[in-house]
Amino acid sequence: MVDVSIESVKRKYEVQLMRLPNVTSIGIGDREGSEVLKVFVTQKVPESELKPEEIVPKVLDGYDTDVEEIGFVTAQT
């Protein structure tokens, strides 16, 4: 059982995650009935091509992460 809310975990790690290559935003989602931290990236890169400090952790404070490729986001006018 997780003792902290996913919202507080998101706030705690948001700045750190946003510094990683290709990361564009952080959100909260659902995977198979469980809350996950969504890490949106412009392009998914194999872990083997990243430095250890550039890899999104698989779990943060008891919550799984889910990396999702969304491409480049631009404002619609």
Side-chain angles (χ1 to χ4, degrees):
M1 174 133 187
V2 180
D3 293 335
V4 295
S5 73
I6 195 164
E7 291 86 3
S8 65
V9 174
K10 177 182 173 279
R11 284 191 302 273
K12 178 178 176 181
Y13 291 101
E14 193 162 19
V15 171
Q16 175 185 336
L17 292 169
M18 289 296 294
R19 290 184 179 137
L20 299 178
N22 298 319
V23 174
T24 59
S25 64
I26 312 298
I28 297 170
D30 181 85
R31 184 174 58 204
E32 299 175 7
S34 296
E35 289 183 308
V36 295
L37 289 170
K38 299 286 283 186
V39 181
F40 298 99
V41 296
T42 54
Q43 179 181 8
K44 278 187 130 175
V45 177
E47 283 187 14
S48 61
E49 294 180 20
L50 296 170
K51 297 175 187 171
E53 64 272 13
E54 295 175 337
I55 297 171
V56 174
K58 299 200 182 316
V59 177
L60 291 169
D61 290 356
Y63 290 99
D64 289 341
T65 60
D66 183 22
V67 179
E68 183 175 329
E69 182 175 324
I70 61 170
F72 291 94
V73 178
T74 58
Q76 300 289 321
T77 56

